[in-house]
Amino acid sequence: MSEDEQQQEQGRRVSRRALLGMAGVAGGSVLLGAGGYVATRDDGGPAASAEPFYGDHQAGITTKQQKYLHFAAFDLRTMRRDDVRGLMRDWTTLAADLTAGGSHGIDDPRHLTVTFGFGPSLFDQRYGLAAERPPALADIPAFEFDKLDPAVSDGDICVQVCSEDKVVALQASAAMQRAGAGAAGMRWAQEGFLRDPLPGETTTRNLFGFKDGTNNLPLNDAARMRRNVWVSADDGPSWMSNGTYLVSRRILMQIGEFLPEPVPIQQMNIGRQKGSGAPIGQKHEFDPVDPSKELPDSHIMMANQRRPASEDERILRRGYNFTTGYDAELSSPTGGLFFIAIQRDPRRQFVAIQTRLSTRDRLTKYIIHQSSGLFAVPPGAKPGGYVGETLLA
């Protein structure tokens, strides 16, 4: 049997198992999806909103960013490597079912994705994985003005759940938590959302009212993804080939201090016009930045200095807004940005960028970094396999 035929047969086995897990779904028709998963729709049509789960890369990275996020970090409760392997097998099977729709109360997945990552603590002495820790998974250094809370930072494993439907994201995250309860306990979690773009706009806005993500890496640029996002076989270790690295930062935005500033001051701090999103001195959002018209310590210039070396530093951003209510002590509504940076090597990308931002960025006086996480996101799984198999098998 050829390798392709073996994969097809594995996909059929996974599908049969998924069928058994969906017994009792009333009125649903069952279809075999392209990724080897099962999808159902009450109308008998294809599950058009199902994202492929299996592939060379995990979904939820270059997938078009969905509106809602539920991000959770887990600590393992077991000392046995076999249990970690079993957990990832169970989570992979469940994630494939959830993203296909038609099970666990999710009929329409609304572009649901589930993405897994391994934190540095997974590579301690518990599971014999210390020698497999990637050099790029080096601890993030402490930055000036950080006020990190260890209780909501780090973790052995992260599970990123995204969907166009908030309820779907929460249901999927709850199902993952239940399935892992014997081997893993939730350390911390964060919800997030994207604001709908204003009429005539394509870029969403953050809680300061500015467009956020104008200069993000293009998801459809395969060459750029290879250069800045995907780990190559030459990067090492071999188990991370086709994977990537994820840095999360929970950033409190001091809305009550920033918004009262005159709009021209806000714009000079950011480096973009608040209405159009255009760089200072330009007319349109996607016009090139002219460094001669920007303050050298503006946020836009500290994040990307527009030098040849800057191209290798660029990261894929998948940040989400969050709100937490009202802080009586600050006399201000509270919320901010749950920043997610995806990259090929955090040492030369996120760390290099954040080192500048933490010392010279004019925006620093209005934000507080409260949480930090670093995770190695392994490659995707094949039907019949599981995420993390390249490391744990």
Side-chain angles (χ1 to χ4, degrees):
M1 183 181 292
S2 70
E3 182 176 352
D4 287 343
E5 290 171 335
Q6 289 175 347
Q7 291 183 16
Q8 291 172 4
E9 177 60 24
Q10 287 174 330
R12 284 191 287 271
R13 295 194 191 105
V14 171
S15 299
R16 287 193 288 271
R17 288 198 298 270
L19 277 169
L20 295 175
M22 290 189 296
V25 178
S29 62
V30 183
L31 300 169
L32 177 63
Y37 48 65
V38 172
T40 72
R41 285 289 296 271
D42 288 344
D43 60 7
S49 73
E51 295 290 338
F53 177 80
Y54 295 105
D56 291 338
H57 312 291
Q58 289 194 62
I61 301 169
T62 58
T63 307
K64 181 181 178 182
Q65 191 171 0
Q66 304 96 318
K67 187 173 181 179
Y68 296 102
L69 163 81
H70 193 282
F71 190 100
F74 292 82
D75 286 334
L76 291 166
R77 294 169 170 167
T78 177
M79 300 296 291
R80 289 165 37 86
R81 182 167 170 175
D82 283 348
D83 293 339
V84 181
R85 185 184 299 114
L87 172 67
M88 294 310 302
R89 282 187 181 277
D90 292 344
W91 266 352
T92 295
T93 300
L94 176 59
D97 288 349
L98 290 168
T99 56
S103 63
H104 303 276
I106 298 175
D107 291 324
D108 185 347
R110 297 292 303 278
H111 299 283
L112 174 69
T113 56
V114 181
T115 313
F116 302 98
F118 298 146
S121 56
L122 184 72
F123 300 89
D124 59 19
Q125 301 304 315
R126 289 172 293 173
Y127 311 115
L129 297 173
E132 297 296 332
R133 178 173 175 173
L137 199 67
D139 293 338
I140 295 176
F143 297 110
E144 191 174 1
F145 305 119
D146 276 359
K147 295 183 179 180
L148 304 181
D149 181 353
V152 292
S153 297
D154 305 319
D156 291 334
I157 301 177
C158 75
V159 180
Q160 173 191 275
V161 175
C162 301
S163 175
E164 291 295 329
D165 187 295
K166 183 176 183 179
V167 174
V168 167
L170 293 178
Q171 287 178 328
S173 184
M176 299 299 295
Q177 182 181 2
R178 289 193 302 271
M186 186 179 290
R187 178 181 177 90
W188 59 271
Q190 179 67 53
E191 294 182 42
F193 66 93
L194 298 179
R195 296 175 60 182
D196 290 326
L198 296 175
E201 298 182 352
T202 57
T203 307
T204 64
R205 293 177 180 266
N206 59 32
L207 299 188
F208 284 162
F210 280 80
K211 293 186 176 183
D212 199 326
T214 297
N215 196 42
N216 204 5
L217 294 175
L219 298 175
N220 59 354
D221 187 337
R224 173 60 73 176
M225 293 298 108
R226 287 193 299 271
R227 178 176 179 179
N228 290 70
V229 174
W230 302 126
V231 176
S232 76
D234 295 333
D235 294 335
S238 59
W239 70 266
M240 273 295 292
S241 183
N242 285 324
T244 188
Y245 295 92
L246 182 154
V247 174
S248 67
R249 305 281 284 189
R250 186 180 189 271
I251 304 171
L252 178 68
M253 300 168 68
Q254 301 190 80
I255 301 166
E257 294 187 18
F258 184 86
L259 292 184
E261 298 276 23
V263 171
I265 297 298
Q266 296 181 24
Q267 293 179 155
M268 296 305 292
N269 287 336
I270 297 292
R272 289 189 178 274
Q273 298 172 43
K274 194 166 190 177
S276 66
I280 301 300
Q282 305 285 40
K283 293 183 178 180
H284 306 291
E285 177 183 357
F286 297 101
D287 286 346
V289 173
D290 183 348
S292 69
K293 296 180 180 179
E294 301 281 357
L295 293 179
D297 57 353
S298 65
H299 182 70
I300 196 174
M301 291 303 299
M302 286 295 95
N304 183 337
Q305 297 191 301
R306 273 75 188 179
R307 298 173 179 173
S310 300
E311 288 301 304
D312 285 330
E313 290 181 351
R314 292 179 65 188
I315 56 177
L316 178 61
R317 299 180 50 172
R318 283 184 64 89
Y320 285 84
N321 302 312
F322 69 88
T323 56
T324 54
Y326 184 84
D327 189 316
E329 185 175 343
L330 297 175
S331 299
S332 171
T334 54
L337 175 70
F338 187 69
F339 181 77
I340 297 176
I342 299 173
Q343 66 247 273
R344 184 174 171 180
D345 189 332
R347 297 170 299 178
R348 65 173 173 80
Q349 292 176 270
F350 172 79
V351 172
I353 295 169
Q354 187 58 31
T355 299
R356 289 195 303 270
L357 291 173
S358 65
T359 56
R360 295 186 58 198
D361 182 14
R362 294 175 66 90
L363 202 59
T364 298
K365 63 184 288 189
Y366 304 104
I367 61 175
I368 301 173
H369 287 242
Q370 299 178 315
S371 166
S372 181
L374 170 65
F375 302 93
V377 179
K382 297 179 179 179
Y386 62 94
V387 175
E389 186 172 11
T390 52
L391 172 66
L392 298 169

